[in-house]
Amino acid sequence: MRRRRNLILYGPPGTGKTFLARRLAWLELGSTDMTRVELVQFHPSYSYEDFVQGFRPDDQGIFRLTLGVLLEFCHRATQDPDKPYFLLIDEINRGNLGRIFGELLLLLEADKRGPAHAVRLPYSPPHAPRFFVPDNLYVIGTMNTADRSLAPLDYALRRRFAFVKMQPEFGEPLQGFLAQKGLPAAVITRLVARLTELNQAISDDPDLGEDYQIGHSYFCQPPLDSAAADSWLTLILEQEIAPLLDEYWLDQPTKAAAHRKRLLR
């Protein structure tokens, strides 16, 4: 993150990507100062006008040139150059990235930061100050690798980011966390055994692979009452994990049913 200033956390659903993005920002800030952290989520309707700059109606219905999230946040960071600022982009691969980022494809690079590389924005009048990305702005994106509807990242954008893979964790860290929260050992053993077996089956399937594994964040909010732990786990498996298997093996209902049966036994 410090080397590239732009980082993408990618991996299967439920691996804590957004959770970690926030904590990386707070770790660098040294506090949970949300005034220097901005979170946005991309989606198919998100546009350059939302992110950078564009004409939008005000409360009187008059269209005015309006700063997008990026410009407004960059201006704040520029006025406070000695402190880091973090732009967190959730589900970065759900948007049309070439359209959303525009000039940012150039300006994001670590060696293209600062006023020396400023450019004129398409909507800005000729006399307006040119735009640049300040040195103290960091971008952390999250990317779900299991969404079949998404195209691969644009290679020009990919070159601007460092990538760190997030993987499911059902080993000692999760087990220790759940035990500390008072979850009975039998429930923890059942959880780990079922999910480890299922993730292995998903990884071994040539139509899926490890990008479709089930993450650990489904199980990070155990009940306060340990007596309810077994039913808590059963409900997650029945209502959240099992329906996902039907989606994964949509064209192979027999296979999906077999995995559901093993999961819920």
Side-chain angles (χ1 to χ4, degrees):
M1 185 180 66
R2 290 171 179 164
R3 177 179 64 86
R4 294 288 291 163
R5 289 193 175 87
N6 309 310
L7 173 68
I8 286 182
L9 305 173
Y10 72 102
T15 47
K17 297 179 289 294
T18 306
F19 178 91
L20 180 60
R22 280 199 182 95
R23 277 148 186 80
L24 282 173
W26 292 343
L27 179 65
E28 190 71 6
L29 294 175
S31 69
T32 56
D33 182 4
M34 292 305 295
T35 62
R36 289 188 280 149
V37 178
E38 189 74 43
L39 174 66
V40 298
Q41 186 179 69
F42 282 1
H43 51 78
S45 298
Y46 206 78
S47 68
Y48 179 91
E49 289 75 16
D50 298 315
F51 193 55
V52 182
Q53 185 183 56
F55 286 94
R56 303 178 67 84
D58 62 15
D59 55 2
Q60 303 299 316
I62 300 173
F63 280 82
R64 302 183 188 278
L65 186 61
T66 306
L67 300 185
V69 173
L70 173 68
L71 252 69
E72 192 276 331
F73 198 58
C74 282
H75 288 169
R76 283 163 53 190
T78 302
Q79 294 167 8
D80 193 12
D82 296 327
K83 296 178 181 178
Y85 280 68
F86 286 85
L87 177 63
L88 310 183
I89 306 176
D90 197 33
E91 302 282 3
I92 191 170
N93 55 331
R94 289 195 61 82
N96 183 332
L97 298 182
R99 183 181 174 214
I100 292 172
F101 277 93
E103 300 79 8
L104 194 60
L105 280 178
L106 169 69
L107 303 180
L108 265 182
E109 294 190 56
D111 61 350
K112 300 293 191 299
R113 301 290 185 94
H117 299 280
V119 299
R120 178 182 169 186
L121 297 177
Y123 287 103
S124 297
H127 56 80
R130 298 191 171 219
F131 170 66
F132 64 90
V133 176
D135 283 324
N136 60 328
L137 181 72
Y138 295 82
V139 180
I140 304 178
T142 69
M143 189 170 79
N144 179 0
T145 56
D147 195 327
R148 299 177 193 262
S149 65
L150 303 178
L153 278 187
D154 181 280
Y155 286 114
L157 184 66
R158 184 177 285 275
R159 291 197 302 272
R160 271 72 179 180
F161 283 84
F163 286 74
V164 174
K165 188 170 187 177
M166 301 284 288
Q167 294 181 307
E169 172 56 70
F170 290 99
E172 180 54 40
L174 180 69
Q175 295 176 41
F177 167 77
L178 294 176
Q180 192 176 40
K181 292 292 184 178
L183 221 64
V187 175
I188 296 175
T189 299
R190 178 187 170 208
L191 185 162
V192 172
R194 298 291 185 272
L195 270 297
T196 301
E197 180 184 16
L198 176 60
N199 277 340
Q200 187 62 56
I202 292 172
S203 297
D204 292 342
D205 192 304
D207 294 326
L208 296 174
E210 62 178 16
D211 285 341
Y212 291 84
Q213 293 182 91
I214 308 300
H216 49 272
S217 64
Y218 288 94
F219 308 99
C220 287
Q221 294 183 324
L224 297 176
D225 182 5
S226 60
D230 194 62
S231 60
W232 164 80
L233 175 58
T234 298
L235 287 174
I236 292 177
L237 297 180
E238 287 180 348
Q239 298 176 348
E240 299 179 50
I241 308 300
L244 192 59
L245 304 186
D246 292 333
E247 180 68 26
Y248 280 2
W249 286 291
L250 185 62
D251 300 325
Q252 303 176 72
T254 303
K255 194 171 188 177
H259 284 295
R260 285 176 63 112
K261 185 176 180 180
R262 281 196 289 271
L263 179 69
L264 301 174
R265 69 181 185 273

